[in-house]
């Protein structure tokens, strides 16, 4: 309500329009900031298909004192759309309630990530979601996690094309001895999608997603290695390099054994960061560059090594690619499982745990084999992320 003076007019410095146009400079911005919700929020829409389901859904929302709105029912057939805001980490809990009540097959749930929510309904003791418990940290729901992961998997032909382009750029970076060009190859590489999809498919026990991600990784890695080899071979037998070009001047020698731990740290760090960013709704693009940094330059060097038939470097580079792929995936699986993205029902949990432990053991064994190969390659040179200039 606007304060008025004796004449009935608003006092100086106020605005009876309610738009805040006469507020002191900076005060309007402070007012707007006071109502911006800082929590990671989701706008949830539930399409219910019958009156009984409608009553059940509304009952859950009322039990937890959640704000909601209902659209007009269409054609009088009992269908309706219920919309309500929720903190991201509590969506999982509400979905579990719907499933436990046996109504999840009578409704459609749409989860939207809004740009911003402005309200004073989320402040202090009036917080309407204080009883709703989620995953125990600021994480998104399992269904949203699976949806975001699926979005990271483009059409297979697009994925292969981007991987080939990235491999060609990485190979050119190796031949030019240019770290900047190698960084460019990392930026355009779409490697993060299949890797995190493998981890998510393992943890949530989604065999279809897991199989699809393995197909992407196998086809993409093969296409990348093949294109890097063909391009480097074309360069070798063309006029782009002088007859006296010495490849050993580019591929600087260093021991395979010394950098193993450092390479694993890079790959494991990329996997942990990828899982955390994906599960909290954070920015995933920069993490994708970090993952590509552990994989794309060794692919480029492997192609150059094949073209010049440097056998030690061929074996070493392929071992680096394999070890980093396995390590990133292993770290992502462990992270997502620890964060709680495993099935909750006892039967599904047991199966998922058995599958997860089996795959973790296989990944750890593959990492050990790759590291052993690196340690025993004699007289070879190890490309650590980029060519040493």
């Amino acid at each position: 309500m606007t304060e008025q003076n004796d004449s009935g007019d608003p006092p100086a410095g106020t605005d009876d329009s309610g738009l805040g146009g006469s507020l002191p400079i900076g005060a309007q911005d402070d007012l707007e900031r006071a109502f911006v919700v800082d929590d990671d929020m989701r706008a949830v829409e539930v399409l219910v298909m019958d009156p009984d389901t409608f009553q059940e859904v509304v009952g859950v929302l009322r039990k937890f004192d959640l704000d909601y709105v209902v659209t007009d029912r269409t054609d009088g057939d009992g269908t309706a759309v219920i919309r309500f805001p929720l903190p991201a980490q509590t969506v999982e809990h509400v979905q579990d309630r719907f499933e436990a009540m046996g109504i999840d097959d009578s409704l459609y749930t749409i989860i939207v990530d809004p740009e911003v929510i402005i309200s004073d309904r989320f402040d202090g003791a009036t917080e309407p979601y204080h009883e709703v418990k989620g995953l125990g940290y600021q994480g998104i729901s399992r269904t949203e996690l699976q949806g975001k992961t699926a979005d990271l998997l483009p059409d297979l032909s697009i994925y292969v094309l981007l991987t080939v382009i990235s491999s060609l750029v990485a190979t050119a970076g190796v031949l030019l001895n240019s770290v900047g060009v190698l960084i460019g190859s990392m930026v355009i590489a779409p490697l993060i999608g299949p890797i995190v999809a493998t981890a998510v498919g393992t943890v949530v026990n989604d065999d279809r997603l897991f199989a699809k991600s393995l197909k992407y990784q196998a086809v993409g890695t093969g296409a990348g290695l093949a294109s890097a080899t063909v391009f480097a071979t074309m360069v070798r037998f063309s006029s782009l390099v002088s007859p006296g070009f010495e490849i050993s001047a580019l591929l600087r020698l260093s021991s395979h054994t010394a950098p193993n731990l450092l390479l694993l740290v890079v790959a494991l760090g990329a996997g942990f960061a990828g899982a955390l960013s994906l599960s909290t709704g954070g920015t995933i693009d920069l993490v994708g560059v970090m993952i590509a940094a552990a994989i794309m330059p060794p692919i480029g060097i492997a192609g150059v090594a094949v073209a010049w038939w440097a056998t030690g470097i061929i074996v070493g580079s392929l071992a680096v690619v394999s070890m980093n792929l396995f390590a990133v995936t292993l770290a992502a699986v462990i992270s997502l499982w620890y964060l709680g993205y495993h099935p909750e029902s006892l039967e599904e949990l047991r199966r998922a745990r058995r599958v997860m432990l089996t795959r973790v053991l296989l990944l750890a064994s593959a990492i050990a084999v790759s590291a052993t190969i690196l340690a025993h390659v004699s007289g070879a040179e190890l490309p650590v992320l980029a060519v040493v200039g």
Side-chain angles (χ1 to χ4, degrees):
M1 179 175 177
T2 303
E3 180 184 355
Q4 295 183 337
N5 55 24
D6 295 337
S7 63
D9 297 327
T14 63
D15 180 10
D16 60 351
S17 67
L19 299 178
S22 300
L23 289 175
I25 296 176
Q28 184 174 352
D29 292 338
D30 292 338
L31 180 63
E32 291 176 351
R33 281 195 296 269
F35 294 100
V36 174
V37 180
D38 293 331
D39 292 337
D40 191 15
M41 301 293 296
R42 295 293 183 268
V44 182
E45 297 183 0
V46 178
L47 172 61
V48 296
M49 307 307 297
D50 58 72
D52 292 337
T53 302
F54 173 81
Q55 295 298 329
E56 296 279 5
V57 171
V58 170
V60 171
L61 301 181
R62 287 177 177 173
K63 177 180 180 180
F64 292 107
D65 193 25
L66 301 180
D67 297 330
Y68 66 92
V69 294
V70 181
T71 62
D72 293 335
R73 302 185 181 185
T74 58
D75 301 329
D77 58 356
T79 61
V81 176
I82 306 172
R83 297 182 176 92
F84 52 95
L86 276 181
Q89 71 273 16
T90 66
V91 175
E92 179 85 9
H93 180 72
V94 174
Q95 287 181 301
D96 288 343
R97 283 302 181 103
F98 294 158
E99 183 176 356
M101 297 168 66
I103 61 174
D104 54 313
D105 58 348
S106 301
L107 51 82
Y108 294 90
T109 303
I110 303 171
I111 303 171
V112 180
D113 185 2
E115 291 293 332
V116 65
I117 292 182
I118 302 175
S119 174
D120 60 352
R121 297 276 298 162
F122 300 88
D123 184 37
T126 61
E127 166 66 66
Y129 308 108
H130 64 283
E131 293 185 23
V132 182
K133 305 301 181 183
L135 295 177
Y137 83 112
Q138 300 295 319
I140 61 178
S141 66
R142 290 176 181 84
T143 52
E144 186 177 354
L145 179 74
Q146 291 175 271
K148 289 185 63 176
T149 302
D151 289 341
L152 291 174
L153 294 176
D155 184 78
L156 181 60
S157 59
I158 300 299
Y159 175 79
V160 172
L161 180 59
L162 287 174
T163 304
V164 168
I165 294 173
S166 178
S167 300
L168 296 177
V169 174
T171 306
V174 173
L175 293 170
L176 293 171
N177 197 19
S178 171
V179 175
V181 176
L182 285 170
I183 293 175
S185 71
M186 304 170 198
V187 173
I188 62 178
L191 302 180
I192 188 171
I195 291 177
V196 297
T198 302
V200 172
T202 297
V203 172
V204 303
N205 197 22
D206 188 337
D207 293 334
R208 229 170 87 178
L209 181 62
F210 179 78
K212 184 178 181 180
S213 65
L214 285 187
K215 178 182 177 181
Y216 271 61
Q217 290 195 58
V219 174
T221 304
L225 288 169
S227 59
T229 301
V230 171
F231 177 64
T233 303
M234 292 174 59
V235 169
R236 179 182 181 183
F237 294 103
S238 67
S239 58
L240 296 177
V241 294
S242 61
F245 179 77
E246 186 61 47
I247 192 64
S248 61
L250 287 178
L251 303 178
R252 296 286 183 103
L253 285 181
S254 65
S255 169
H256 277 293
T257 57
N260 278 355
L261 180 59
L262 297 179
L263 289 172
L264 279 175
V265 169
V266 172
L268 292 172
F272 286 129
L276 189 60
S277 297
L278 183 67
S279 64
T280 57
T283 302
I284 200 73
D285 296 336
L286 294 179
V287 180
V289 175
M290 183 180 180
I291 291 176
I295 297 171
M296 292 313 303
I299 285 180
I301 293 178
V304 174
V306 171
W308 269 265
W309 201 243
T311 55
I313 300 175
I314 295 173
V315 176
S317 299
L318 294 178
V320 171
V321 172
S322 301
M323 183 178 69
N324 287 346
L325 276 173
F326 296 143
V328 172
T329 306
L330 176 64
V333 170
I334 294 175
S335 299
L336 291 173
W337 187 274
Y338 175 76
L339 292 173
Y341 288 99
H342 45 71
E344 289 190 337
S345 67
L346 186 59
E347 181 180 352
E348 291 184 2
L349 178 60
R350 287 175 176 173
R351 181 179 183 276
R353 181 188 290 116
R354 183 172 62 253
V355 171
M356 186 272 297
L357 291 176
T358 301
R359 292 173 183 172
V360 164
L361 181 60
L362 290 174
L363 288 170
S365 301
I367 293 172
V369 170
S370 300
T372 302
I373 292 175
L374 285 176
H376 289 84
V377 172
S378 58
E381 301 176 356
L382 179 64
V384 183
L385 298 186
V387 178
V388 180

